[in-house]
Structures are given as structure tokens and as C-alpha cells.
Amino acid sequence: MEQDYRCLGPAVENGAIVMRELAAPDALPRGLQAGQAPGRYRLQQDPQQRYFAWANGPQAIKPHLFAPRESLWRAQRDEQGRLHFMAVAPPAPMLALIGVRACDLAALALQDAHFLQGDQPDTHYAQRREQLFLVAVQCAEPASTCFCASTGDGPTPAAGYDIALAELTDGFVATAGSRKGAALLNTLNLPPASPRQIAAARQQGQAAAASQTRSLPGRTLRDVLMSRLEHPQWDEVATRCLACGNCTAVCPTCFCHAEMDEPALNGQASEHVRIWDSCFGESHGHLHGFNVRPDIRSRYRQWLIHKLATWHDQYGRSGCVGCGRCIAWCPAEIDLTAEAAVLAGDRERP
């Protein structure tokens, strides 16, 4: 805060842990855990009164870089009736996110690959990304829905942070991951972590990884899933899926969006707006004259095949970071890891 960052950290809102602006350092909640299961998320008490004993909430980094709704440009008529097109500068405050998890850092790397790499980087995303400061936290208490160990993305932050924290009973082990992070830590005059504390942080991360009960049947499922496009499991899951789009809304790597023009009532101006979209929506599959994904079966298949298979062609890895949000926030209790196991032939159909 002294360095003029807006600080966002965990806060309780509508029964969930979300990232909200902190008015003061003591605004961080303490003594909370998040019990999660397919279709279930409930806050509960942490007997050790830790600050970061909860697993991830419904959102973390993505909404602060890839905005759920924003204007990209606007058109305005002048007094002579001529149209002028103007870029819209996005708000890009210096933003510090406190409590970021390893899975979300991995998701951020994928979002960076999509929005920043290539011939046409997204300027709105880039301006926000430049102003971001990330304080990551090791997950000591993964939820039952977490499977980041099987994707190689957690539970201990490995890269992409400015500062990483491991919360122990006697304090925090802090590690700098960037020049900005090192500069900030140098202002705090912290004592060096002892070998015992460093070993305890390492062991805590290993124990958290070993405690995860869910996993994907492999990190490279592209070929096996592409060979199962007509598997009967697609029909089975379609009988349960509501096509609500919750999974895509909470997924930290999904980037589908729609663009539309919103004219002013007086006809003198128009905003060109980008909003989050989902491949589960009927309009997402519309082409001229027909819909390429007219039913829930084809929409669920599109989502899972893209996430676990064809992302390898685009970005060199799976689009899943093992955060488990799509499992916890699915009202139909559909478990991505179970569906992938059936399709890969590692488990019988339910």
C-alpha cells in the first residue's frame, strides 16, 4: 500500500472466498477453510487460525486482466454527422493480488500466451498485466476437488510470482521471484529463514500434493481423446450437463468472448463491447445459416476436447491446471477427472 498499489486479497462474500480490495493489512480474514466437493462449496473453521488455509475460491487472477465486460472502442458523430472512431483506454491501476495459488499462476501463463504472444497482442490485457504484482501462497490444505499435482501445476508455486509465501505455525517463509519482489522484501528487514523452516515449507508442499485424491489419467491426453470423438460417454454426460456455463465461468484459463455494439438511444454514439462468453451457449456455435454445435453433447465435447487435447497444438500443454473449480461449481456434480478417465479407458462408465 505504501508503494501505491491497490491491494486485493481474500474476503468472504456470499459464502465464498473472493478477491476484494483490502482497506488495511488487518483486513485479511483468518481461520477459514473451504470444504469443496462436486457441486458443493462451504466455508468452515480452521482450528489453527491460519490466514491462507483455504483452497481456491471461484475466481482469482483472470477477471483482473481479462475483464468480464469492457468497451474496446467507441464511435461518435460530430456536429456535421461524421463518424469518428476512438480507442477506449482501460483502467490499469497498480494492482497487488495477495493469496494467489500455484494453479492460478499456471493459468496466468496460459492467458499470457493467448493474449500477449503473436502478431496482435491484446492492448487492454497487456496494460493491466504490466501493472500486476503477485503474492503467491503455497496450498497447505488442498480441497478434495483439487488435482494440480497431476497436472504439474501445484500446490507449491514454482514460477510466475513476485513473492511466494509458505505459511507455517511460526510465521511465513517468503521467497522473491522477481526484481520487484526482491526489492519489496528488502524493505522489510526480515531475518533469513532457518534450515528447519525451509525444510518445513518443502515438506508441507509435498504433503499437500500427496493428499490429493483426484488426478487426470495423464498430462498429454491429446491423441487418446481425439480418437474417442464418438465415445458413448459423450451421450451419457450430455444427459447430466445443464449447459449452464459455470465451468467456463470459473475456469482460470477459458478465454472465449463475444463482441457486440451497443448504440446510444439518440443514435449519436456506439460502444463496441467485449464480454465473457462460453462454448456451452447456443449462440457460440452459430455460423451463417446453421449451428455447428446444436446440442449439449457436442458443446461438452468441444469444451473438454479443446481443454485437454487441442490446447497442446496451440500452447504446447493442456489447458487444465488442476484447480478443480469446474467440479466444485458444477450444479450437476460433473467431475472432469472422472469423465477424462472414462474416455481414456482408465475407468468404467458410471
Side-chain angles (χ1 to χ4, degrees):
M1 291 178 178
E2 292 175 354
Q3 296 187 11
D4 296 326
Y5 280 94
R6 282 183 58 206
C7 293
L8 273 66
V12 177
E13 185 176 288
N14 296 324
I17 293 176
V18 294
M19 289 286 185
R20 293 293 183 263
E21 187 162 3
L22 302 173
D26 58 5
L28 284 170
R30 194 172 187 179
L32 291 178
Q33 290 185 331
Q36 301 185 53
R40 180 179 175 82
Y41 181 102
R42 296 289 186 276
L43 294 182
Q44 55 200 38
Q45 292 299 308
D46 171 40
Q48 299 183 46
Q49 290 295 299
R50 290 167 290 181
Y51 287 99
F52 299 104
W54 43 272
N56 53 49
Q59 297 284 347
I61 303 175
K62 186 172 78 169
H64 304 292
L65 296 177
F66 172 33
R69 176 187 175 89
E70 64 179 330
S71 178
L72 299 181
W73 48 267
R74 67 191 311 266
Q76 179 77 48
R77 291 189 186 277
D78 61 20
E79 294 179 354
Q80 288 74 42
R82 293 172 298 190
L83 278 177
H84 298 272
F85 295 87
M86 294 157 284
V88 175
M94 293 173 59
L95 195 65
L97 294 183
I98 301 169
V100 174
R101 303 309 165 111
C103 56
D104 289 315
L105 293 174
L108 177 62
L110 283 164
Q111 293 270 299
D112 286 350
H114 177 73
F115 285 104
L116 299 181
Q117 297 175 11
D119 297 333
Q120 299 293 330
D122 188 284
T123 56
H124 286 214
Y125 182 98
Q127 289 179 47
R128 297 187 182 106
R129 184 70 173 91
E130 180 67 25
Q131 300 285 70
L132 196 62
F133 190 97
L134 296 171
V135 180
V137 176
Q138 180 191 64
C139 264
E141 300 285 346
S144 68
T145 49
C146 294
F147 55 98
C148 62
S150 74
T151 65
D153 297 310
T156 299
Y161 55 81
D162 294 295
I163 295 175
L165 303 176
E167 186 173 13
L168 305 178
T169 56
D170 57 345
F172 293 90
V173 174
T175 304
S178 70
R179 291 182 179 177
K180 290 191 298 183
L184 190 145
L185 285 182
N186 287 338
T187 68
L188 302 180
N189 297 316
L190 299 175
S194 68
R196 179 193 62 80
Q197 291 168 325
I198 294 172
R202 183 181 301 111
Q203 291 166 5
Q204 180 172 263
Q206 293 169 348
S211 72
Q212 295 184 9
T213 58
R214 281 181 165 83
S215 65
L216 285 176
R219 294 187 187 177
T220 307
L221 299 172
R222 183 197 181 282
D223 293 342
V224 66
L225 290 180
M226 292 302 288
S227 69
R228 308 287 167 84
L229 296 180
E230 301 304 325
H231 195 286
Q233 186 65 13
W234 302 118
D235 294 302
E236 198 283 329
V237 73
T239 66
R240 294 177 283 130
C241 177
L242 304 176
C244 67
N246 266 22
C247 52
T248 57
V250 298
C251 178
T253 67
C254 279
F255 49 71
C256 285
H257 61 270
E259 296 186 17
M260 61 189 69
D261 293 299
E262 295 183 344
L265 291 178
N266 62 8
Q268 297 304 303
S270 179
E271 296 280 338
H272 189 79
V273 177
R274 174 169 69 185
I275 60 173
W276 285 5
D277 199 4
S278 171
C279 53
F280 282 92
E282 183 179 2
S283 62
H284 192 273
H286 274 306
L287 293 181
H288 181 66
F290 71 105
N291 194 313
V292 295
R293 292 185 289 276
D295 51 33
I296 292 179
R297 175 188 182 276
S298 57
R299 292 173 204 159
Y300 188 90
R301 185 179 67 176
Q302 158 68 19
W303 175 68
L304 196 67
I305 289 292
H306 188 208
K307 188 69 60 181
L308 299 183
T310 54
W311 276 61
H312 286 278
D313 299 327
Q314 291 178 279
Y315 307 110
R317 60 153 292 171
S318 163
C320 179
V321 295
C323 69
R325 289 183 173 97
C326 62
I327 302 173
W329 296 94
C330 174
E333 302 181 9
I334 296 172
D335 184 337
L336 177 144
T337 62
E339 300 302 321
V342 173
L343 291 163
D346 289 356
R347 189 178 303 175
E348 294 295 325
R349 294 174 62 195

